[in-house]
Amino acid sequence: MSEDPQPHATGLFPHPQARLIAAGDRDGVAGEDLARAVRRAAGRFGELPPGPVFCGMRNTPASVFCYLGGVGGSAAHRVA
């Protein structure tokens, strides 16, 4: 079995095999494109002062990238 039973153990966020599929977009976003979008969103959080972040979400890929950038925190910056 080639699947990683603990994807979080790789230390990468998002997992290298992760893929985001949006309605109407059959190809989705994956690999380096997904990692780059999450890193970009995480970088915006790094510009904020310490404290809680309240972020409303829409049902769009940009909102998902923002969410992943926030929950990934510094881990999102380690994605090569």
Side-chain angles (χ1 to χ4, degrees):
M1 178 183 272
S2 64
E3 289 185 43
D4 183 357
Q6 296 179 331
H8 60 280
T10 64
L12 299 176
F13 186 84
H15 190 278
Q17 295 175 349
R19 191 166 115 175
L20 174 68
I21 305 278
D25 178 11
R26 66 178 182 183
D27 297 327
V29 181
E32 182 55 31
D33 292 335
L34 177 59
R36 188 176 320 117
V38 172
R39 280 195 308 267
R40 193 174 325 131
R44 291 187 203 113
F45 283 105
E47 298 168 2
L48 298 174
V53 174
F54 299 95
C55 182
M57 277 189 67
R58 300 177 107 175
N59 192 13
T60 64
S63 290
V64 174
F65 299 145
C66 181
Y67 172 79
L68 292 174
V71 298
S74 62
H77 295 285
R78 292 195 303 258
V79 178

